[in-house]
Structure formats: C-alpha cells, structure tokens
Amino acid sequence: MEQFISFINEVGFPIVVTLYLLYRIESKLDLVVQSIQSLPERMKV
C-alpha cells in the first residue's frame, strides 16, 4: 500500500485514476472482442 501512495505522490492523482480506469476497461473490452468474434457462429444458427 505504501508503494501505491508513493506512486500517487510522484505522478499525480489524475494519472493514477486514468491508469486504474484503463485497467478496469481492459477486461470489459476483452469480453466485447470475444462476443464479436463469436457472432458469425451465432448467426449461422
């Protein structure tokens, strides 16, 4: 936790929030990509 707080002090709060949100969105984007890739198979049925 101390490393996290020191990182906030070094780079600033907005950058840390941006990195956190990008990390959270990445998993959701993986699900979207997977859904799009499986769409042609679903359309055949």
Side-chain angles (χ1 to χ4, degrees), residues 35 38-45:
S35 296
S38 68
L39 189 60
E41 189 65 36
R42 291 184 188 181
M43 296 294 288
K44 288 180 181 178
V45 175

Side-chain angles (χ1 to χ4, degrees), residues 24-43:
R24 295 262 319 205
I25 290 173
E26 181 181 7
S27 62
K28 291 177 176 39
L29 284 176
D30 288 339
L31 291 173
V32 170
V33 168
Q34 186 180 15
S35 296
I36 291 173
Q37 289 176 343
S38 68
L39 189 60
E41 189 65 36
R42 291 184 188 181
M43 296 294 288

